[in-house]
Amino acid sequence: MTQERWNAFSKRDQLLMIGSEFERARVWEQDQRGKEFLGALERALNLIAFARNDPKWDEEMAQIIGLEEEVKTFQSGNSRREVAILYRML
């Protein structure tokens, strides 16, 4: 994925792509597949980084940054919640 390609997607489609990674992480968290779980979170962070650089998110940047911080909390293992909360945050 490139920034240019990402920017061509609607905000809705961008959220769906991020949400897909959260859903993968949820399934792999339940199956105790740590490597895959972390991979899904990493891919979500990459997509969120694209969103941070997409001008159409300027008005919602605080929410995007908050989402990014939550994903990093799960990635570091410092969250006591289930990763499914990330999907609901969208």
Side-chain angles (χ1 to χ4, degrees):
M1 178 79 64
T2 65
Q3 185 69 52
E4 183 177 298
R5 183 164 186 247
W6 176 262
N7 291 0
F9 291 111
S10 69
K11 288 168 67 172
R12 178 185 174 275
D13 287 343
Q14 290 175 356
L15 289 176
L16 287 171
M17 286 184 265
I18 295 169
S20 292
E21 294 303 335
F22 291 161
E23 181 61 16
R24 286 182 187 95
R26 184 192 65 78
V27 169
W28 289 329
E29 178 183 48
Q30 289 177 343
D31 292 346
Q32 297 180 352
R33 294 173 59 183
K35 183 179 177 182
E36 291 87 352
F37 170 76
L38 292 174
L41 293 179
E42 186 65 33
R43 288 188 300 277
L45 283 172
N46 288 337
L47 296 176
I48 292 168
F50 283 132
R52 286 186 68 165
N53 292 309
D54 186 339
K56 65 180 154 280
W57 287 103
D58 286 349
E59 292 183 17
E60 293 92 3
M61 191 55 62
Q63 290 88 345
I64 295 296
I65 292 170
L67 183 62
E68 181 180 52
E69 290 171 1
E70 285 296 319
V71 174
K72 288 179 179 179
T73 300
F74 278 96
Q75 190 180 41
S76 68
N78 291 328
S79 181
R80 297 184 186 268
R81 300 181 289 177
E82 292 183 0
V83 76
I85 191 76
L86 294 173
Y87 192 85
R88 290 190 295 267
M89 290 177 72
L90 293 176

